[in-house]
């Protein structure tokens, strides 16, 4: 029975990324988990339940004969997606458990060549709908000197791989751009700030791809939608309205986190 369990557990882990990440997300000691994998030890009833819930399978199935176990997994997975659309959506499905704690509103800060050296603040939101985690973003900026006003709306999908959030969005305007953002939390229990990189298209003075550091600050639930939208725009780097944590990350980031890129980089 222990042999079946260890073999089945190894099979599950092979489909779910690194062992270290699995242990962190379940909340188990890595050395103890290694003993489960090797078959030298079986989990307690409590840990068995945690493992089964993590992989979303019945506890008894973990002890099934390996051939039966693999057959049940294949049956549960269903037919492989055929259309390109389904293949694209596959990584974004089943993300509710991973991303539930990230749902809500954020202010997203980054540098963009479209607005010079200032810090751009956009409004972003993660919501759950039809088994997917969706992103909604709004960019509002105004240049009084050139009578330019920018309003851009984006819709996208969110997935988690390892401890990174991957956000793929498209602009709702006709022939709008596609943007990609990768975020991470410095600590698992710290959700106030999400740091990372964003890649998009500068829209002035001429369209050109760029990549820039970004930091998202979670908004308090008491902040109204009107207040959140009003705070969007372009700020001078030294503006007192910019959170020092945001400014410090964008101006002097930790080199261990990201490549040595100052501000934004045109590609």
């Amino acid at each position: 029975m222990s042999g079946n369990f260890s073999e089945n557990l190894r099979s599950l882990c092979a489909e779910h990324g690194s062992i270290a990440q699995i242990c962190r997300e379940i909340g188990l000691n890595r050395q103890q988990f290694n003993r489960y994998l090797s078959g030298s030890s079986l989990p307690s009833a409590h840990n068995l339940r945690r493992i089964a819930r993590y992989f979303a399978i019945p506890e008894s199935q973990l002890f099934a004969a390996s051939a039966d176990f693999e057959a049940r997994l294949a049956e549960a997975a269903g037919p492989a997606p055929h259309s390109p659309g389904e293949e694209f959506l596959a990584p974004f499905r089943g993300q509710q458990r991973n991303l539930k704690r990230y749902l809500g509103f954020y202010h997203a800060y980054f540098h963009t060549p479209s607005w010079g050296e200032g810090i751009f603040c956009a409004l972003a939101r993660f919501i759950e709908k039809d088994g997917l985690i969706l992103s909604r973003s709004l960019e509002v900026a105004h240049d009084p000197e050139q009578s330019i006003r920018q309003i851009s709306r984006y819709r996208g999908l969110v997935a988690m791989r390892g401890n990174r959030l991957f956000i793929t969005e498209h602009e709702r305007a006709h022939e709008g751009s596609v943007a990609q953002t990768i975020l991470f939390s410095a600590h698992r229990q710290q959700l106030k700030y999400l740091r990372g990189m964003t890649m998009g298209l500068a829209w002035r003075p001429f369209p050109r791809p760029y990549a820039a550091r970004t930091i998202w600050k979670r908004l308090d639930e008491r902040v109204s939608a009107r207040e959140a939208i009003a705070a969007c725009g372009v700020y001078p780097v030294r503006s007192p309205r910019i959170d020092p944590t945001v400014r410090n990350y964008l101006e002097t980031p930790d080199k261990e986190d990201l490549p040595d890129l100052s501000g934004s980089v045109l590609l």
Side-chain angles (χ1 to χ4, degrees), residues 179-231:
Q180 176 76 52
T181 300
I182 302 174
L183 300 172
F184 68 96
S185 175
H187 304 286
R188 181 173 174 77
Q189 301 305 322
Q190 191 279 109
L191 299 179
K192 185 175 182 180
Y193 299 101
L194 300 175
R195 299 164 170 82
M197 292 286 290
T198 187
M199 291 147 280
L201 192 71
W203 64 279
R204 69 168 189 164
F206 52 88
R208 192 172 181 182
Y210 77 94
R213 299 182 182 95
T214 185
I215 178 169
W216 290 29
K217 182 178 180 180
R218 192 181 187 99
L219 300 185
D220 190 288
E221 293 180 355
R222 294 171 293 182
V223 176
S224 68
R226 182 186 297 272
E227 293 173 317
I229 294 173

Side-chain angles (χ1 to χ4, degrees), residues 6-7 34 55 57 114 126 128 132 135 224 240 245 261 266:
S6 62
E7 188 171 347
N34 284 341
F55 291 111
I57 63 174
S114 299
F126 292 156
E128 179 182 348
L132 297 169
S135 66
S224 68
T245 299
L261 304 174
L266 288 170

Side-chain angles (χ1 to χ4, degrees), residues 62-169:
L62 286 167
F63 296 93
S66 299
D68 293 340
F69 180 79
E70 294 294 342
R72 291 180 186 177
L73 284 186
E75 182 180 349
H82 297 290
S83 71
E86 282 301 313
E87 290 182 0
F88 177 83
L89 286 175
F92 297 97
R93 298 193 186 281
Q95 292 288 315
Q96 301 96 316
R97 179 184 60 193
N98 292 337
L99 295 172
K100 183 177 181 180
R101 62 199 186 105
Y102 292 97
L103 300 181
F105 286 90
Y106 299 82
H107 273 146
Y109 298 89
F110 53 94
H111 290 292
T112 166
S114 299
W115 295 94
E117 298 300 321
I119 294 177
F120 197 98
C121 175
L123 180 64
R125 184 187 184 190
F126 292 156
I127 60 175
E128 179 182 348
K129 184 177 180 181
D130 298 331
L132 297 169
I133 304 301
L134 311 180
S135 66
R136 298 287 185 265
S137 298
L138 173 67
E139 297 179 356
V140 180
H142 181 54
D143 185 345
E145 296 182 359
Q146 300 185 38
S147 299
I148 296 174
R149 182 174 177 82
Q150 174 195 359
I151 301 179
S152 301
R153 294 178 173 85
Y154 292 83
R155 291 186 174 184
L157 296 169
V158 189
M160 175 173 275
R161 288 292 182 270
N163 63 345
R164 299 302 195 256
L165 277 71
F166 293 83
I167 307 162
T168 300
E169 297 180 299

